Amino acid sequence: TLRTLFPYTTLFRSIDSGIDYYHEDLKDNIWNNNKEIPDNGIDDDKNGYVDDRNGWNFAYDNNNSYDDNSHGTHVSGTIAASSNGIGVVGVAPTVKIMALKVANSRGFLYTSDVINAIQYGVSNGVKLFNCSFGSKDFSQTEYDVIKSSNALFMCSAGNGDINQIGLDNDGLVKNYPASFDLPNIISVSSIDKNGYLSTFSNYGVVSVDIAAPGGSIYSTVPGGYGYKSGTSMATPHVTGVAALVLSEDMNLSPIEVKNRILKSTHKLPKLKNKIVTGAIVDAFGAMNLTRSEERRVGKECSQ
Ligand code: CA
């Protein structure tokens, strides 16, 4: 199945168009496969991928996951750009990103490559996946691999119809993987700067969980910085918060991380009856909830 990155225009790991891993704001946060000796032509860790130093390029079947599109680098900056006094700062500025390049330079990707990328990530211990892509075509294999993964998937709700007018994902037209009815998926819609659902953003009071800023987002692009809009840009804000929560307590299950996020939101009147929570993601709230749960558990253990 051919699908698209949402246009307009990825631990804690990004299935996307790759990453500019030389970028001044990202280079310190790129995942490194320390079981692989770089560029020796040997599959040292015997995982089926030769010299997979930072991830893999599933689109072109090689070890160079550099971003030839800019979408993946933009998403990555929102999750994990360094707090180094230059450029921008990601939601979780010290987490590592694995570049699972699946989209080609034009932003198209195949479901079979997505499935291989998920399996690669899972086998290397990835617990969070950012999925800023989608299509209306259901894949049973993709459903199964996500379901059995023990990871949490932040998935874009989608950017509406051909005129970029948001659609109801609870209706006949779905947007996968966001529309898979699975407990380890968070489906993310976009708000604009006024707290309204973005005109392009899909929604769904049953199937779309939460919203985040997705209009004119400033982040990293290859060699610099730029603005992009879309549910693709909203989703990595939630992935960043998931990374913060998980960093606080690495023993949390995917469902527990999801529950922390969905129980600590910031309600917005304009989102009521549009999405499940009627709210946007709240990093401070999610961290407070996680820390108060830890204190409660700590007390129980000491009694
Ligand atoms: Ca290898």
Short mmCIF file of all heavy atoms in Angstrom, two decimals, residues 174-226:
data_model
loop_
_atom_site.label_atom_id
_atom_site.label_comp_id
_atom_site.label_asym_id
_atom_site.label_seq_id
_atom_site.Cartn_x
_atom_site.Cartn_y
_atom_site.Cartn_z
N LYS A 174 -11.42 6.22 7.10
CA LYS A 174 -10.48 6.10 8.22
C LYS A 174 -9.11 6.59 7.81
O LYS A 174 -8.84 6.83 6.62
CB LYS A 174 -10.38 4.64 8.67
CG LYS A 174 -11.70 3.97 8.95
CD LYS A 174 -12.37 4.57 10.16
CE LYS A 174 -13.65 3.82 10.52
NZ LYS A 174 -14.46 4.54 11.51
N ASN A 175 -8.25 6.71 8.80
CA ASN A 175 -6.89 7.12 8.52
C ASN A 175 -5.93 6.28 9.37
O ASN A 175 -5.78 6.52 10.56
CB ASN A 175 -6.72 8.61 8.83
CG ASN A 175 -5.40 9.13 8.33
OD1 ASN A 175 -5.23 9.31 7.14
ND2 ASN A 175 -4.46 9.33 9.22
N TYR A 176 -5.35 5.28 8.74
CA TYR A 176 -4.49 4.33 9.46
C TYR A 176 -3.03 4.75 9.38
O TYR A 176 -2.62 5.29 8.35
CB TYR A 176 -4.67 2.93 8.87
CG TYR A 176 -6.08 2.44 8.95
CD1 TYR A 176 -6.90 2.40 7.83
CD2 TYR A 176 -6.63 2.05 10.18
CE1 TYR A 176 -8.21 1.96 7.91
CE2 TYR A 176 -7.95 1.61 10.26
CZ TYR A 176 -8.73 1.58 9.12
OH TYR A 176 -10.03 1.15 9.20
N PRO A 177 -2.25 4.53 10.46
CA PRO A 177 -2.53 3.71 11.64
C PRO A 177 -3.34 4.40 12.75
O PRO A 177 -3.78 3.72 13.67
CB PRO A 177 -1.13 3.36 12.17
CG PRO A 177 -0.28 4.50 11.74
CD PRO A 177 -0.83 4.94 10.41
N ALA A 178 -3.58 5.73 12.65
CA ALA A 178 -4.29 6.41 13.75
C ALA A 178 -5.65 5.76 14.04
O ALA A 178 -6.06 5.69 15.20
CB ALA A 178 -4.48 7.89 13.40
N SER A 179 -6.34 5.28 13.00
CA SER A 179 -7.70 4.76 13.18
C SER A 179 -7.77 3.31 13.63
O SER A 179 -8.86 2.79 13.84
CB SER A 179 -8.48 4.90 11.86
OG SER A 179 -8.74 6.26 11.57
N PHE A 180 -6.61 2.63 13.77
CA PHE A 180 -6.66 1.28 14.34
C PHE A 180 -7.25 1.36 15.74
O PHE A 180 -6.84 2.19 16.54
CB PHE A 180 -5.25 0.67 14.47
CG PHE A 180 -4.64 0.25 13.16
CD1 PHE A 180 -3.32 0.52 12.90
CD2 PHE A 180 -5.38 -0.46 12.22
CE1 PHE A 180 -2.73 0.12 11.71
CE2 PHE A 180 -4.80 -0.87 11.03
CZ PHE A 180 -3.47 -0.58 10.77
N ASP A 181 -8.21 0.49 16.04
CA ASP A 181 -8.81 0.47 17.37
C ASP A 181 -7.93 -0.38 18.30
O ASP A 181 -8.20 -1.53 18.55
CB ASP A 181 -10.24 -0.10 17.28
CG ASP A 181 -10.96 0.01 18.61
OD1 ASP A 181 -10.48 0.74 19.50
OD2 ASP A 181 -12.01 -0.64 18.77
N LEU A 182 -6.83 0.22 18.76
CA LEU A 182 -5.86 -0.48 19.60
C LEU A 182 -5.52 0.37 20.81
O LEU A 182 -5.43 1.60 20.70
CB LEU A 182 -4.57 -0.75 18.81
CG LEU A 182 -4.62 -1.86 17.76
CD1 LEU A 182 -3.33 -1.89 16.96
CD2 LEU A 182 -4.87 -3.21 18.43
N PRO A 183 -5.33 -0.26 21.97
CA PRO A 183 -5.07 0.51 23.19
C PRO A 183 -3.70 1.20 23.22
O PRO A 183 -3.50 2.13 23.99
CB PRO A 183 -5.17 -0.53 24.31
CG PRO A 183 -4.94 -1.84 23.63
CD PRO A 183 -5.45 -1.70 22.23
N ASN A 184 -2.75 0.74 22.40
CA ASN A 184 -1.41 1.35 22.44
C ASN A 184 -1.19 2.35 21.30
O ASN A 184 -0.07 2.54 20.84
CB ASN A 184 -0.32 0.27 22.45
CG ASN A 184 -0.38 -0.65 21.24
OD1 ASN A 184 -1.43 -0.86 20.66
ND2 ASN A 184 0.78 -1.18 20.86
N ILE A 185 -2.27 3.00 20.89
CA ILE A 185 -2.18 4.09 19.91
C ILE A 185 -2.80 5.35 20.51
O ILE A 185 -3.86 5.28 21.14
CB ILE A 185 -2.90 3.72 18.60
CG1 ILE A 185 -2.07 2.71 17.80
CG2 ILE A 185 -3.18 4.97 17.75
CD1 ILE A 185 -2.71 2.26 16.51
N ILE A 186 -2.12 6.49 20.35
CA ILE A 186 -2.74 7.79 20.63
C ILE A 186 -2.92 8.49 19.30
O ILE A 186 -1.95 8.74 18.58
CB ILE A 186 -1.86 8.66 21.57
CG1 ILE A 186 -1.61 7.94 22.90
CG2 ILE A 186 -2.53 10.01 21.81
CD1 ILE A 186 -0.75 8.76 23.89
N SER A 187 -4.17 8.80 18.96
CA SER A 187 -4.48 9.51 17.72
C SER A 187 -4.52 11.01 18.02
O SER A 187 -5.19 11.46 18.94
CB SER A 187 -5.82 9.02 17.18
OG SER A 187 -6.20 9.80 16.06
N VAL A 188 -3.78 11.79 17.20
CA VAL A 188 -3.54 13.20 17.53
C VAL A 188 -4.09 14.13 16.45
O VAL A 188 -3.77 13.98 15.26
CB VAL A 188 -2.02 13.46 17.70
CG1 VAL A 188 -1.77 14.90 18.14
CG2 VAL A 188 -1.41 12.48 18.71
N SER A 189 -4.88 15.09 16.88
CA SER A 189 -5.39 16.15 15.99
C SER A 189 -4.59 17.44 16.24
O SER A 189 -3.77 17.51 17.15
CB SER A 189 -6.88 16.35 16.21
OG SER A 189 -7.14 16.64 17.57
N SER A 190 -4.89 18.46 15.45
CA SER A 190 -4.10 19.70 15.50
C SER A 190 -4.97 20.88 15.89
O SER A 190 -6.12 21.01 15.43
CB SER A 190 -3.48 19.97 14.13
OG SER A 190 -2.95 21.28 14.06
N ILE A 191 -4.43 21.77 16.74
CA ILE A 191 -5.08 23.06 17.00
C ILE A 191 -4.25 24.18 16.40
O ILE A 191 -3.04 24.05 16.21
CB ILE A 191 -5.28 23.35 18.50
CG1 ILE A 191 -3.94 23.29 19.26
CG2 ILE A 191 -6.30 22.41 19.10
CD1 ILE A 191 -3.95 24.08 20.54
N ASP A 192 -4.94 25.31 16.12
CA ASP A 192 -4.22 26.51 15.67
C ASP A 192 -3.87 27.38 16.88
O ASP A 192 -4.15 27.03 18.03
CB ASP A 192 -5.05 27.26 14.61
CG ASP A 192 -6.37 27.79 15.16
OD1 ASP A 192 -6.50 27.97 16.40
OD2 ASP A 192 -7.28 28.04 14.34
N LYS A 193 -3.29 28.53 16.62
CA LYS A 193 -2.79 29.38 17.72
C LYS A 193 -3.92 29.98 18.56
O LYS A 193 -3.69 30.49 19.65
CB LYS A 193 -1.89 30.47 17.17
CG LYS A 193 -2.61 31.44 16.26
CD LYS A 193 -1.70 32.49 15.70
CE LYS A 193 -2.48 33.39 14.75
NZ LYS A 193 -1.68 34.38 14.06
N ASN A 194 -5.18 29.93 18.07
CA ASN A 194 -6.31 30.46 18.83
C ASN A 194 -7.05 29.39 19.63
O ASN A 194 -8.07 29.66 20.23
CB ASN A 194 -7.30 31.15 17.87
CG ASN A 194 -6.65 32.32 17.15
OD1 ASN A 194 -5.96 33.15 17.77
ND2 ASN A 194 -6.84 32.40 15.85
N GLY A 195 -6.54 28.17 19.62
CA GLY A 195 -7.16 27.10 20.38
C GLY A 195 -8.30 26.43 19.67
O GLY A 195 -9.06 25.66 20.26
N TYR A 196 -8.47 26.72 18.39
CA TYR A 196 -9.48 26.04 17.57
C TYR A 196 -8.83 24.83 16.92
O TYR A 196 -7.63 24.82 16.64
CB TYR A 196 -9.99 26.95 16.46
CG TYR A 196 -10.86 28.09 16.92
CD1 TYR A 196 -10.32 29.24 17.48
CD2 TYR A 196 -12.25 28.02 16.77
CE1 TYR A 196 -11.12 30.29 17.89
CE2 TYR A 196 -13.07 29.06 17.17
CZ TYR A 196 -12.50 30.20 17.74
OH TYR A 196 -13.29 31.23 18.15
N LEU A 197 -9.68 23.83 16.62
CA LEU A 197 -9.21 22.73 15.80
C LEU A 197 -8.75 23.33 14.47
O LEU A 197 -9.47 24.13 13.87
CB LEU A 197 -10.37 21.74 15.57
CG LEU A 197 -10.01 20.37 14.99
CD1 LEU A 197 -9.31 19.50 16.03
CD2 LEU A 197 -11.29 19.67 14.51
N SER A 198 -7.57 22.96 14.00
CA SER A 198 -7.09 23.45 12.71
C SER A 198 -8.07 23.05 11.62
O SER A 198 -8.61 21.94 11.66
CB SER A 198 -5.71 22.88 12.39
OG SER A 198 -4.78 23.20 13.41
N THR A 199 -8.30 23.93 10.65
CA THR A 199 -9.29 23.62 9.60
C THR A 199 -8.96 22.32 8.88
O THR A 199 -9.85 21.59 8.48
CB THR A 199 -9.38 24.76 8.57
OG1 THR A 199 -8.07 25.01 8.06
CG2 THR A 199 -9.96 26.01 9.19
N PHE A 200 -7.67 22.01 8.71
CA PHE A 200 -7.26 20.80 8.00
C PHE A 200 -7.34 19.54 8.84
O PHE A 200 -7.24 18.43 8.33
CB PHE A 200 -5.81 20.94 7.47
CG PHE A 200 -4.80 21.25 8.55
CD1 PHE A 200 -4.38 20.29 9.44
CD2 PHE A 200 -4.28 22.53 8.67
CE1 PHE A 200 -3.46 20.57 10.44
CE2 PHE A 200 -3.34 22.83 9.66
CZ PHE A 200 -2.94 21.85 10.54
N SER A 201 -7.52 19.70 10.17
CA SER A 201 -7.33 18.55 11.07
C SER A 201 -8.52 17.62 11.10
O SER A 201 -9.66 18.04 11.30
CB SER A 201 -7.05 19.04 12.49
OG SER A 201 -6.86 17.92 13.35
N ASN A 202 -8.26 16.32 10.93
CA ASN A 202 -9.28 15.31 11.18
C ASN A 202 -9.59 15.29 12.66
O ASN A 202 -8.81 15.75 13.51
CB ASN A 202 -8.81 13.93 10.72
CG ASN A 202 -8.71 13.82 9.20
OD1 ASN A 202 -8.97 14.80 8.49
ND2 ASN A 202 -8.31 12.66 8.72
N TYR A 203 -10.75 14.75 13.02
CA TYR A 203 -11.22 14.70 14.40
C TYR A 203 -12.06 13.44 14.56
O TYR A 203 -12.19 12.66 13.59
CB TYR A 203 -12.06 15.96 14.71
CG TYR A 203 -13.15 16.20 13.70
CD1 TYR A 203 -14.44 15.68 13.91
CD2 TYR A 203 -12.91 16.90 12.52
CE1 TYR A 203 -15.44 15.86 12.96
CE2 TYR A 203 -13.91 17.08 11.57
CZ TYR A 203 -15.18 16.56 11.80
OH TYR A 203 -16.16 16.72 10.86
N GLY A 204 -12.59 13.23 15.75
CA GLY A 204 -13.41 12.03 15.98
C GLY A 204 -13.62 11.87 17.47
O GLY A 204 -12.67 11.59 18.20
N VAL A 205 -14.84 12.03 17.92
CA VAL A 205 -15.12 12.03 19.36
C VAL A 205 -14.93 10.62 19.95
O VAL A 205 -14.76 10.46 21.16
CB VAL A 205 -16.53 12.61 19.64
CG1 VAL A 205 -17.63 11.61 19.27
CG2 VAL A 205 -16.65 13.10 21.07
N VAL A 206 -14.92 9.62 19.08
CA VAL A 206 -14.68 8.25 19.55
C VAL A 206 -13.23 7.82 19.31
O VAL A 206 -12.61 7.17 20.14
CB VAL A 206 -15.63 7.25 18.82
CG1 VAL A 206 -15.28 5.80 19.17
CG2 VAL A 206 -17.08 7.55 19.18
N SER A 207 -12.66 8.23 18.16
CA SER A 207 -11.39 7.61 17.74
C SER A 207 -10.17 8.53 17.76
O SER A 207 -9.06 8.06 17.59
CB SER A 207 -11.55 7.02 16.33
OG SER A 207 -11.73 8.05 15.39
N VAL A 208 -10.36 9.84 17.94
CA VAL A 208 -9.19 10.75 18.00
C VAL A 208 -9.05 11.21 19.45
O VAL A 208 -9.97 11.77 20.04
CB VAL A 208 -9.35 11.94 17.05
CG1 VAL A 208 -8.17 12.90 17.19
CG2 VAL A 208 -9.47 11.45 15.60
N ASP A 209 -7.88 10.96 20.05
CA ASP A 209 -7.74 11.08 21.49
C ASP A 209 -7.49 12.48 22.00
O ASP A 209 -8.06 12.91 23.00
CB ASP A 209 -6.57 10.19 21.96
CG ASP A 209 -6.85 8.73 21.70
OD1 ASP A 209 -7.83 8.21 22.23
OD2 ASP A 209 -6.07 8.12 20.92
N ILE A 210 -6.61 13.20 21.33
CA ILE A 210 -6.05 14.41 21.95
C ILE A 210 -5.61 15.36 20.84
O ILE A 210 -5.52 14.96 19.67
CB ILE A 210 -4.87 14.00 22.88
CG1 ILE A 210 -4.51 15.09 23.89
CG2 ILE A 210 -3.65 13.57 22.05
CD1 ILE A 210 -3.56 14.61 24.98
N ALA A 211 -5.36 16.62 21.20
CA ALA A 211 -4.86 17.59 20.22
C ALA A 211 -3.55 18.20 20.72
O ALA A 211 -3.18 18.08 21.89
CB ALA A 211 -5.89 18.70 19.99
N ALA A 212 -2.85 18.83 19.79
CA ALA A 212 -1.59 19.53 20.11
C ALA A 212 -1.38 20.58 19.03
O ALA A 212 -2.02 20.53 17.97
CB ALA A 212 -0.42 18.55 20.14
N PRO A 213 -0.52 21.57 19.28
CA PRO A 213 -0.29 22.61 18.27
C PRO A 213 0.28 22.03 16.97
O PRO A 213 1.23 21.26 16.99
CB PRO A 213 0.73 23.53 18.95
CG PRO A 213 0.58 23.26 20.41
CD PRO A 213 0.22 21.81 20.51
N GLY A 214 -0.35 22.41 15.85
CA GLY A 214 0.11 21.90 14.56
C GLY A 214 0.08 22.94 13.46
O GLY A 214 0.23 22.61 12.29
N GLY A 215 -0.14 24.20 13.81
CA GLY A 215 -0.19 25.26 12.80
C GLY A 215 1.06 26.12 12.85
O GLY A 215 1.42 26.65 13.89
N SER A 216 1.72 26.25 11.72
CA SER A 216 2.94 27.08 11.62
C SER A 216 3.93 26.77 12.74
O SER A 216 4.31 27.64 13.52
CB SER A 216 2.57 28.56 11.65
OG SER A 216 1.75 28.87 10.56
N ILE A 217 4.34 25.53 12.81
CA ILE A 217 5.29 25.09 13.84
C ILE A 217 6.71 25.30 13.32
O ILE A 217 7.06 24.88 12.21
CB ILE A 217 5.07 23.60 14.18
CG1 ILE A 217 3.63 23.36 14.65
CG2 ILE A 217 6.08 23.13 15.22
CD1 ILE A 217 3.22 24.15 15.88
N TYR A 218 7.52 25.94 14.14
CA TYR A 218 8.91 26.23 13.79
C TYR A 218 9.80 25.13 14.36
O TYR A 218 9.75 24.84 15.55
CB TYR A 218 9.29 27.59 14.39
CG TYR A 218 10.62 28.13 13.94
CD1 TYR A 218 10.84 28.50 12.62
CD2 TYR A 218 11.65 28.32 14.86
CE1 TYR A 218 12.05 29.02 12.20
CE2 TYR A 218 12.87 28.85 14.47
CZ TYR A 218 13.07 29.20 13.14
OH TYR A 218 14.26 29.72 12.74
N SER A 219 10.57 24.50 13.50
CA SER A 219 11.42 23.40 13.97
C SER A 219 12.60 23.23 13.02
O SER A 219 12.81 24.03 12.11
CB SER A 219 10.59 22.11 14.08
OG SER A 219 11.37 21.05 14.62
N THR A 220 13.35 22.16 13.26
CA THR A 220 14.54 21.89 12.44
C THR A 220 14.15 21.35 11.07
O THR A 220 13.20 20.59 10.93
CB THR A 220 15.43 20.85 13.15
OG1 THR A 220 14.59 19.76 13.58
CG2 THR A 220 16.12 21.43 14.36
N VAL A 221 14.88 21.78 10.05
CA VAL A 221 14.83 21.17 8.71
C VAL A 221 16.29 20.93 8.31
O VAL A 221 17.20 21.50 8.94
CB VAL A 221 14.11 22.07 7.68
CG1 VAL A 221 12.64 22.25 8.05
CG2 VAL A 221 14.80 23.40 7.53
N PRO A 222 16.54 20.10 7.31
CA PRO A 222 17.95 19.85 6.95
C PRO A 222 18.72 21.15 6.71
O PRO A 222 18.30 21.99 5.91
CB PRO A 222 17.82 19.02 5.66
CG PRO A 222 16.55 18.26 5.86
CD PRO A 222 15.62 19.24 6.54
N GLY A 223 19.78 21.31 7.49
CA GLY A 223 20.64 22.48 7.35
C GLY A 223 20.13 23.75 7.98
O GLY A 223 20.78 24.79 7.89
N GLY A 224 18.97 23.74 8.61
CA GLY A 224 18.46 24.97 9.20
C GLY A 224 17.16 24.79 9.94
O GLY A 224 16.96 23.80 10.64
N TYR A 225 16.26 25.77 9.77
CA TYR A 225 14.99 25.79 10.51
C TYR A 225 13.89 26.26 9.59
O TYR A 225 14.15 26.99 8.63
CB TYR A 225 15.10 26.74 11.72
CG TYR A 225 16.20 26.34 12.67
CD1 TYR A 225 17.52 26.82 12.47
CD2 TYR A 225 15.96 25.46 13.71
CE1 TYR A 225 18.55 26.43 13.31
CE2 TYR A 225 16.99 25.07 14.56
CZ TYR A 225 18.28 25.55 14.36
OH TYR A 225 19.29 25.15 15.19
N GLY A 226 12.65 25.85 9.87
CA GLY A 226 11.55 26.30 9.04
C GLY A 226 10.19 25.99 9.66
O GLY A 226 10.11 25.33 10.70
#
